[in-house]
Amino acid sequence: ENEKEPPPRLIHILETRFMQNQPDLLRLARARLRLFRTVCLPSVRRQTAWGDFLWIIRTDPALDAAIRTELIEMLRASGSLVYATTKEDERSEEEEQGEEREREQTKQTKRSDNDNDKNGVGITYLVGSNDNYISANATLSNVRPFDVRHMLSALTSHPPSVLAGKLSSLRELLDELTIAGTQNQPSHPPNVVLWTRLDADDGLHVRYLEHLQSQAVRYFLPDYYSSFDSRPGRILLRNDARAVPYRPPRWTYWCAGTNVDWFLDARRSRGAVYPVEHTNVCVTPGVTVALADDADPGTVPRLDHDVIVSYLRGKKEGEGEEEAEEATRRMDRGAMC
């Protein structure tokens, strides 16, 4: 009978900030658009986990109309708004370019209803909002950090805030999670929700999100880890003997242990890149919080990237053996980029 139960699922949200609280800084906005097009967008679009997460891009509701239009067209031209679920949903590059030219001629300045007419599943959304669900400085009066149902309810109840993206897909996901929340069985592992942060001028290793999802299954759903779909880069479960029964965490933090920095360099026309390894701090790109879907999001500490490691080390040193082991798991940091 248990075999007929659907397996728990991962709900992964990638949150990106673009010009929040800076709607009138046009030169800065155009510079960030270039960085977004050059670094952020291709690194997300080429993720090996593409189609297995939602990308929520948040910008100031009063963002300059021309900048907003350019950003929306950039997302459409890259094929980022809708994930093709069948061959029939896929379109050739020539078709995409033809539609892009037609849209450019019409100079649309707001989200198009055509986003809801396309086949496939909505995957990327541009949202007019200065709120954030993962940043430590989120606006507490308007959001419940790390609460996926609250986020989906806020978007679907106020459609004008969704400047681009397939709104019906958000409604379907909210309906699914609402039903799942009423059918939780103590014997059945809960779904797992992941929140990953990526600013508009940063990028990720193309297997970053896939590896995060693999590790989320490993730690939160160990019984499903060995059967987790094995694509290149996945790590399979080892038959490690455990001295004590394993208890999945209620929440955890992940962040990249290495990254590559790009700097302007007067001696080089294209600047310079430097590899950096971190032991005592988390860099902002890729900071991720994962929590069991039946856990209270309010119990997850909201930490800036520069205090995550020190906070968890403090918990490890200040608590008992069981709590210390839990804090160690929260500090598991893979070499992502």
Side-chain angles (χ1 to χ4, degrees), residues 75-333:
L75 293 170
R76 288 200 179 105
S78 66
S80 299
L81 291 177
V82 176
Y83 177 66
T85 54
T86 67
K87 283 292 182 181
E88 289 72 17
D89 294 338
E90 297 178 356
R91 290 175 293 167
S92 68
E93 184 177 353
E94 291 77 11
E95 290 173 325
E96 288 281 0
Q97 292 175 348
E99 292 183 7
E100 166 65 12
R101 288 192 294 270
E102 182 180 349
R103 285 190 295 265
E104 182 64 22
Q105 293 172 358
T106 61
K107 297 293 185 181
Q108 295 175 335
T109 58
K110 58 182 180 180
R111 72 179 293 269
S112 167
D113 290 338
N114 291 335
D115 292 334
N116 286 324
D117 295 335
K118 296 175 183 176
N119 295 325
V121 177
I123 184 173
T124 301
Y125 298 85
L126 179 64
V127 176
S129 171
N130 287 317
D131 295 327
N132 295 285
Y133 280 77
I134 185 170
S135 301
N137 59 352
T139 308
L140 285 177
S141 60
N142 297 328
V143 305
R144 280 178 48 84
F146 312 125
D147 189 331
V148 65
R149 290 177 179 81
H150 186 278
M151 183 199 74
L152 293 172
S153 296
L155 295 178
T156 56
S157 63
H158 188 52
S161 68
V162 182
L163 307 176
K166 192 172 183 179
L167 197 59
S168 60
S169 292
L170 294 181
R171 293 192 181 101
E172 290 170 3
L173 178 58
L174 177 59
D175 290 344
E176 178 183 338
L177 294 178
T178 301
I179 295 173
T182 63
Q183 296 178 342
N184 280 336
Q185 301 292 331
S187 60
H188 191 261
N191 295 332
V192 180
V193 181
L194 294 92
W195 296 84
T196 298
R197 177 178 174 180
L198 179 68
D199 286 342
D201 54 356
D202 293 324
L204 296 173
H205 188 286
V206 294
R207 289 181 176 168
Y208 192 97
L209 299 184
E210 178 186 328
H211 186 66
L212 281 174
Q213 293 173 5
S214 172
Q215 295 305 293
V217 174
R218 178 183 182 182
Y219 284 101
F220 285 83
L221 305 167
D223 292 340
Y224 294 85
Y225 188 50
S226 59
S227 60
F228 195 45
D229 181 28
S230 181
R231 291 180 285 180
R234 304 257 190 198
I235 303 174
L236 296 179
L237 179 66
R238 298 176 180 175
N239 294 320
D240 295 332
R242 297 184 182 276
V244 295
Y246 177 74
R247 186 185 67 180
R250 302 300 291 160
W251 58 266
T252 191
Y253 267 88
W254 276 290
C255 60
T258 59
N259 73 287
V260 175
D261 285 344
W262 175 83
F263 296 97
L264 289 173
D265 190 327
R267 298 168 298 175
R268 301 176 177 88
S269 61
R270 297 183 179 180
V273 293
Y274 300 93
V276 183
E277 185 171 352
H278 305 273
T279 57
N280 297 312
V281 69
C282 289
V283 292
T284 301
V287 168
T288 297
V289 172
L291 65 156
D293 190 34
D294 61 351
D296 179 3
T299 64
V300 182
R302 299 166 63 243
L303 306 173
D304 274 323
H305 71 98
D306 56 339
V307 300
I308 293 173
V309 175
S310 59
Y311 174 87
L312 294 176
R313 281 180 177 166
K315 287 185 67 64
K316 181 176 179 181
E317 294 171 359
E319 297 180 348
E321 182 176 349
E322 181 177 338
E323 289 79 6
E325 196 228 339
E326 178 78 2
T328 303
R329 282 203 297 270
R330 290 173 186 154
M331 289 176 60
D332 181 13
R333 303 163 65 198

